[in-house]
Amino acid sequence: MASVFIDGEAGTTGLGIASRLAALREITVRRLPDAHRKDPAARRDIMAEVDLVVLCLPDEAARESTALADGLGNAAPKLLDASTAHRVHPDWTYGFPELTAEQAGRIARARKVANPGCYPTGAIALIRPLVDAGLLAADHPVTINAVSGYSGGGKAMIAAHEKDGGPAFELYGLALEHKHVPETERYGGLARRPIFVPSVGHFRQGMLVSVPLHLDTLPGRPGLADLRAALAARYAGTAIRVMDTTPAKLEPEALNDTDTLELYVFGNEAHGQAVLVARLDNLGKGASGAAVQNLRLMLGLGA
């Protein structure tokens, strides 16, 4: 039986991971008493006793925990980081198994894996197959719009919505420096920094990520069917669903409490316009669900 320690289990992502692992007989979760949760010596000792450590911490704390683990030398466990700290670090493998045909194998062999962000999971899933297929130029001026439930915003945002009511809807990240942009650019295969405009609604969880496109600006002027075919070809045999239907409306909460990711191609051929949309639970495939998928690969348990 593989053993796992979740450093930062009390947070939203950590609790989600712990809940999922509780259903897996192949994995046991090791824990520290509450009094020792922040004790570096106690954390280092338990790290030396487990196979894998999940870091569910703020970025700087995740770097500190990584240093603790690295200090163990040959006794160091594998690391899976749910923070933003290492997502574009050259020594860490990006934890999106469906990124390419080889990525799941890279994750399985890696000792350090960075779990993707929730927004990039949807954006990269839409963009990367089109870049690889030559339907979207790497230097295309990509715009990404997204809305998430407030659970993705951390304790302060959750409190603002659940205790104080919170706004019905708000845009944020308007200085265009959102921390998810670097990984979206790199793993989306883009050579030009995308414009990313995130927003949050007054609902706990769920997410929609959309990418609008003018078809006549794309190489070869592909149609909607070409875009959908490229996505379907990339994700054939995976758990990512490329949807054939195009409903008149799409709401963000339909996949809550699942690890599913749905991709849609909407558009108007007459106007030469398309909108690609990803729908997911920001706490599922966007966080805890993706982490469990990655740690299963890292521990040799399959996806």
Side-chain angles (χ1 to χ4, degrees):
M1 181 176 287
S3 56
V4 172
F5 169 54
I6 304 171
D7 198 0
E9 183 179 342
T12 303
T13 299
L15 290 171
I17 294 170
S19 176
R20 286 167 168 79
L21 293 184
L24 301 179
R25 291 182 296 174
E26 312 100 311
I27 295 174
T28 182
V29 178
R30 297 282 308 278
R31 293 180 169 90
L32 288 171
D34 287 346
H36 297 290
R37 280 193 307 114
K38 297 185 179 181
D39 180 351
R43 288 159 57 218
R44 184 183 61 243
D45 289 345
I46 199 170
M47 286 180 180
E49 297 171 358
V50 300
D51 298 299
L52 185 146
V53 174
V54 186
L55 307 178
C56 296
L57 301 163
D59 286 6
E60 189 54 40
R63 295 185 185 98
E64 293 170 0
S65 277
T66 298
L68 280 178
D70 287 345
L72 293 169
N74 292 335
K78 294 185 176 183
L79 298 178
L80 175 61
D81 186 5
S83 81
T84 316
H86 299 106
R87 289 182 187 158
V88 294
H89 194 289
D91 295 339
W92 291 67
T93 299
Y94 194 59
F96 190 2
E98 301 87 0
L99 182 68
T100 66
E102 299 81 23
Q103 195 66 12
R106 293 190 181 106
I107 294 167
R109 295 188 297 272
R111 296 203 61 82
K112 294 180 177 180
V113 172
N115 214 50
C118 50
Y119 290 126
T121 294
I124 292 167
L126 293 168
I127 294 167
R128 179 64 179 265
L130 304 186
V131 173
D132 288 349
L135 299 177
L136 182 68
D139 62 353
H140 189 86
V142 170
T143 298
I144 302 161
N145 303 288
V147 60
S148 174
Y150 59 78
S151 58
K155 292 182 179 179
M157 182 175 287
I158 292 172
H161 280 267
E162 296 188 347
K163 294 181 181 178
D164 304 326
F169 178 87
E170 60 183 341
L171 297 176
Y172 67 102
L174 295 174
L176 303 183
E177 287 288 355
H178 195 281
K179 63 182 182 179
H180 286 171
V181 172
E183 64 181 290
T184 302
E185 180 179 2
R186 175 172 296 185
Y187 299 108
L190 298 174
R192 181 175 187 170
R193 182 182 175 89
I195 293 176
F196 173 50
V197 183
S199 60
V200 63
H202 188 55
F203 54 94
R204 178 170 176 79
Q205 64 197 86
M207 175 171 284
L208 295 173
V209 181
S210 61
V211 179
L213 296 170
H214 288 278
L215 298 177
D216 64 356
T217 68
L218 305 183
R221 299 193 174 193
L224 302 180
D226 299 313
L227 302 178
R228 188 177 293 111
L231 294 174
R234 169 58 58 87
Y235 300 117
T238 77
I240 296 178
R241 301 176 184 173
V242 179
M243 310 302 289
D244 292 327
T245 58
T246 50
K249 298 180 181 180
L250 208 58
E251 55 88 13
E253 299 177 274
L255 299 179
N256 283 4
D257 301 315
T258 77
D259 297 333
T260 301
L261 172 59
E262 293 179 345
L263 305 181
Y264 294 83
V265 178
F266 296 93
N268 187 307
E269 298 274 14
H271 296 308
Q273 297 173 330
V275 179
L276 314 177
V277 182
R279 176 161 64 178
L280 65 156
D281 180 355
N282 60 293
L283 300 182
K285 179 62 171 171
S288 302
V292 172
Q293 182 184 11
N294 283 320
L295 70 83
R296 286 182 61 89
L297 287 167
M298 295 173 74
L299 294 172
L301 302 175

